[in-house]
Amino acid sequence: MSENTGNRPPGRGDKRRPAGAARGRRTVRRAPRPRSTYRTSVYRLRVDLDQESLEAVLNHRYLSGNDFTTVTTEVAGAPALLIHGHVPQPVADWCPVVTGLTGDAMTVSHSSAGCVLVVAVDDQVYALTYGTIGRFMLDAERIDPGFGIAFAIRAIEPEQVRRVTRRVLASTGRVERSLVPGGQHIRRYAIEGFGEIVGQLSGHLTNAQLTVVRGSTRPVSIAGAESLQIAVSTDPAGLIDDLREISRVCARESPAPDLEFIAQIRPMRPGDSTARLDELLDGLLGADGHPDLGLAVPATQIDYEASALSYVVKLPYRAVHTSDLDLDTILENTRKRPAGRRLETLKIGSIGLCADPDGRELLAPAVAAHRWITAEVSSARSEWSIAKAAGTRSALSISPSSAPRSSRS
C-alpha cells in the first residue's frame, strides 16, 4: 500500500472523497424539539375574583415607573393577564471604577428583562414569573406566603429531601441551610419540630399526574417556599391541567406523615393575641440596647443575601444605602417615634438587597422593614418569640415545656 492509503479500510482502494464532501449523518441537523415543560416560579395569589380583577395583584407602583407592555389574554380559555418588558441600564455600575483604574473610558450598558403571566384557574389565581424582573411585577402583599411549602410537604418523597432552609425561633434570627445533593430522609436533618420554622424544602416529586413527571424517566426535583419552583407544561391546555393538579393536591391531600410536623406551625389569625404582640414589639422598638431584639433576613430574601453588595433602607423621611445592615440603622428611626407609632413606621418603610454598592439595582423586591425584625419577650404567663422576619407568614408552636412560643410576621 502507498503511504496515502495505508490507513484506509479494506476495499477503499485509492479512492478519495471529493473535496467539500462530508458524511451526511454528521452534517444533517434535526430541528430542535420544542420543550414540553419549562422550570418556572409559580405563585398563588390572594384575590377575590368576584370583587376584583386580575390587575389587583400587580405592583402598580413598579409598573408605572417602567415602560412595560400589558396584554389581556387567555390560556386555553382561562382568563389571563400578561405583562412583559425590560429595564435598561445605560452604564454598568463598575464602568467608572475600571475607567478610574486604567484611564480608559468605557461605557457598557445592559438590560434586565422579565415577564409575569397571571392566570385564573377555577377559583384560584396563579402567577408565573420569568426573567430577572418578573417577580417585581407582583404586589408582595397579594402573594400567598405558605403556598410553595404547602405543596412540597404533600408532593415530595420524605426519603429524598435535597435542601432545607429553616429559621430558629429566637431573637438571634439564625437561619440554617442544609444541602444534600443526593437527597436524604427528612429525619436526618434533625429539625426541631417546635423550635424551628422550615421556610424552604426541596426534593423529588412523587405526583405522577404532572406533565414533568409523565415525560421523564428520571427523578424530578421541585422547591417549595413562598413560590413553587417546578417545571410546568408549555402547552396551554397542559399548563392549566398542571395548575389544577397543584390546586387539588393543596386542597385535598394530606402532608406526608414524615413531613406533617412542618405544617404544625400555623399562621396566627389577627386578634387579641396578635394585637398584644404588636404592642410588645412597639415597646421594644423604642428601647435602647434591648438584648431580646434582633435583626434577621426575611425568608424571601435569603437566596439573595449572599450576593448583596448594599442595602437600601427606606423609612419615613429618610432613605439611606449601606454596605452593612445592622439593627441600629433601623432603630435610629423608631426610637424617635412616639409609642404606638414605631411598628407602623417600619410597616410603611422597606429594606431591599442590591446588586451594586450604590443601592440602585435591587436583587429582589424590597420587603417591609418590620419583616427584618425578630424579638423575644417574656411575661408572667408565657414566653413569646415575635419573629417578624420568619418569612411572610405568622406562626404558632408549643415548646416542649408547654410554654406558648409564637412567631409572627
Side-chain angles (χ1 to χ4, degrees):
M1 288 188 178
S2 67
E3 181 179 353
N4 291 333
T5 62
N7 294 327
R8 294 185 179 181
R12 279 287 303 275
D14 205 18
K15 295 179 181 179
R16 297 176 180 271
R17 181 177 292 111
R23 295 183 177 92
R25 62 183 179 184
R26 292 188 179 182
T27 58
V28 175
R29 295 183 179 179
R30 296 180 179 178
R33 296 178 60 184
R35 295 183 180 181
S36 61
T37 61
Y38 188 84
R39 192 168 176 88
T40 307
S41 296
V42 181
Y43 296 84
R44 189 168 65 188
L45 304 170
R46 298 181 290 197
V47 56
D48 183 357
L49 291 177
D50 292 332
Q51 304 292 332
E52 302 172 298
S53 69
L54 294 180
E55 291 188 353
V57 305
L58 301 178
N59 183 351
H60 294 283
R61 183 175 181 180
Y62 178 75
L63 297 178
S64 64
N66 297 281
D67 186 20
F68 294 147
T69 300
T70 301
V71 180
T72 300
T73 183
E74 63 177 38
V75 178
L81 195 62
L82 175 66
I83 300 92
H84 61 88
H86 69 282
V87 178
Q89 299 290 340
V91 181
D93 67 272
W94 43 264
C95 286
V97 176
V98 176
T99 297
L101 291 172
T102 65
D104 298 315
M106 62 181 302
T107 302
V108 178
S109 62
H110 65 97
S111 179
S112 299
C115 165
V116 62
L117 177 62
V118 182
V119 187
V121 181
D122 302 326
D123 60 344
Q124 300 289 342
V125 176
Y126 292 97
L128 286 66
T129 63
Y130 303 89
T132 56
I133 62 173
R135 60 185 178 273
F136 288 81
M137 300 176 183
L138 294 174
D139 181 352
E141 296 300 319
R142 294 284 188 161
I143 294 173
D144 182 347
F147 160 63
I149 198 77
F151 180 82
I153 63 176
R154 290 166 170 81
I156 67 173
E157 299 177 15
E159 301 84 2
Q160 292 293 326
V161 176
R162 299 183 64 249
R163 185 171 64 247
V164 173
T165 301
R166 50 189 164 171
R167 182 184 303 280
V168 177
L169 286 172
S171 61
T172 59
R174 190 176 84 217
V175 175
E176 295 183 0
R177 308 186 72 182
S178 303
L179 172 64
V180 179
Q184 68 177 11
H185 199 288
I186 186 66
R187 289 195 294 266
R188 299 189 65 182
Y189 288 95
I191 300 170
E192 183 182 341
F194 295 108
E196 298 177 337
I197 295 177
V198 175
Q200 184 185 62
L201 201 63
S202 175
H204 291 169
L205 185 62
T206 61
N207 189 302
Q209 301 303 313
L210 294 168
T211 303
V212 65
V213 177
R214 296 199 311 267
S216 176
T217 58
R218 304 179 63 182
V220 176
S221 290
I222 65 167
E226 180 183 65
S227 66
L228 178 61
Q229 302 287 325
I230 186 172
V232 292
S233 176
T234 56
D235 173 74
L239 171 63
I240 300 302
D241 288 343
D242 281 348
L243 294 178
R244 283 194 171 120
E245 177 61 14
I246 291 170
S247 295
R248 187 197 66 79
V249 168
C250 291
R252 300 181 185 177
E253 293 196 5
S254 299
D258 286 330
L259 299 175
E260 191 173 12
F261 74 94
I262 296 174
Q264 297 305 311
I265 302 181
R266 299 177 180 274
M268 292 181 66
R269 296 182 181 277
D272 293 341
S273 295
T274 57
R276 176 57 178 159
L277 290 178
D278 284 348
E279 181 182 346
L280 292 171
L281 180 56
D282 189 88
L284 293 179
L285 293 173
D288 291 323
H290 200 292
D292 291 326
L293 197 62
L295 182 71
V297 180
T300 56
Q301 307 290 297
I302 291 173
D303 287 341
Y304 309 100
E305 199 278 334
S307 303
L309 297 182
S310 65
Y311 302 79
V312 172
V313 181
K314 294 182 179 180
L315 297 173
Y317 313 113
R318 186 186 183 198
V320 299
H321 74 270
T322 177
S323 58
D324 294 300
L325 182 65
D326 56 35
L327 189 59
D328 282 338
T329 303
I330 300 174
L331 297 183
E332 284 176 3
N333 192 295
T334 60
R335 288 170 182 154
K336 301 174 183 178
R337 305 285 174 176
R341 299 292 300 276
R342 299 166 187 141
L343 180 56
E344 179 186 353
T345 295
L346 297 186
K347 289 182 177 181
I348 296 173
S350 66
I351 299 176
L353 303 172
C354 296
D356 64 298
D358 297 323
R360 293 179 298 183
E361 187 177 345
L362 286 172
L363 286 165
V367 174
H370 72 292
R371 304 287 189 198
W372 295 77
I373 294 294
T374 182
E376 285 187 86
V377 294
S378 298
S379 67
R381 293 184 301 170
S382 59
E383 179 184 352
W384 301 90
S385 171
I386 309 171
K388 289 288 181 179
T392 52
R393 57 194 180 117
S394 308
L396 174 64
S397 67
I398 306 300
S399 67
S401 62
S402 297
R405 176 178 290 271
S406 174
S407 166
R408 291 204 59 230
S409 64

